Amino acid sequence: DIKKRFADESCVIVSPDTGASDQARSVAKYLSTDFLALQKTRKPEGGILFEANAQLLDPQKMYLLIDDMVDSGKTLQKAATFLAKRGAQDIHAYATDGVLSQGLGFLTEPHLKSVTLTNTLKAPLTEPQVRILNLPLGFLGHLKYRKKLRASV
């Protein structure tokens, strides 16, 4: 989907945390494109702090956040803000599982242009910036098996 959808774009694959790092790195390798790993720290008083090796980002490139799961959406929301403050202008997100336990409030993040989830979980979605990538049933079983092994998808 990424290859077809963004074929003419110069993009950077971004991992918003260490949990998604292997998966995002695999996508970057497959696409033969740049990879950026963010380090996420949860503050004791609440909130999320991000760090990265790159201080300034190329505004001409597209940034694709690749995550394994979206629960509250705060990680994607804060990661998109972090990237935008460093110059990124075109930010999209992909995630395998859309738990969405707190709804879609995170989509109010103005820098996050779209979120693509797979059909691993059934979530009622009507927002135009959310896309569902339908994966074949056999592939979904393979994904769950790989997750159980904690292998990169």
Side-chain angles (χ1 to χ4, degrees):
D1 183 68
I2 294 172
K3 213 171 202 177
K4 280 192 270 183
R5 189 171 171 212
F6 302 113
D8 298 331
E9 305 290 336
S10 176
C11 67
V12 176
I13 302 299
V14 181
S15 167
D17 55 31
T18 55
S21 188
D22 288 344
Q23 186 178 6
R25 193 181 314 276
S26 294
V27 172
K29 184 177 179 182
Y30 172 74
L31 297 173
S32 301
T33 192
D34 296 331
F35 172 74
L36 175 64
L38 302 182
Q39 287 79 43
K40 177 175 82 171
T41 307
R42 294 194 184 274
K43 296 189 259 181
E45 67 277 3
I48 299 172
L49 176 68
F50 282 103
E51 295 178 41
N53 291 335
Q55 292 302 312
L56 294 175
L57 302 175
D58 185 346
Q60 302 303 315
K61 292 190 176 191
M62 177 184 321
Y63 293 83
L64 300 177
L65 289 157
I66 305 292
D67 208 349
D68 52 347
M69 176 187 77
V70 180
D71 185 10
S72 70
K74 295 234 183 281
T75 296
L76 291 181
Q77 185 181 42
K78 300 291 184 184
T81 299
F82 178 85
L83 294 171
K85 285 182 178 178
R86 279 148 190 81
Q89 296 179 6
D90 198 6
I91 305 166
H92 301 265
Y94 278 76
T96 306
D97 297 323
V99 177
L100 307 174
S101 66
Q102 297 179 25
L104 295 166
F106 70 95
L107 291 175
T108 58
E109 165 56 50
H111 306 293
L112 194 55
K113 293 188 176 178
S114 72
V115 176
T116 301
L117 306 169
T118 65
N119 60 333
T120 56
L121 302 173
K122 301 293 181 206
L125 303 171
T126 56
E127 283 68 16
Q129 67 267 47
V130 178
R131 300 173 60 246
I132 299 296
L133 183 61
N134 288 308
L135 300 177
L137 191 56
F139 187 71
L140 290 176
H142 175 72
L143 277 178
K144 290 177 183 175
Y145 174 74
R146 301 278 296 183
K147 278 186 163 186
K148 185 176 180 179
L149 295 177
R150 297 183 96 35
S152 181
V153 182

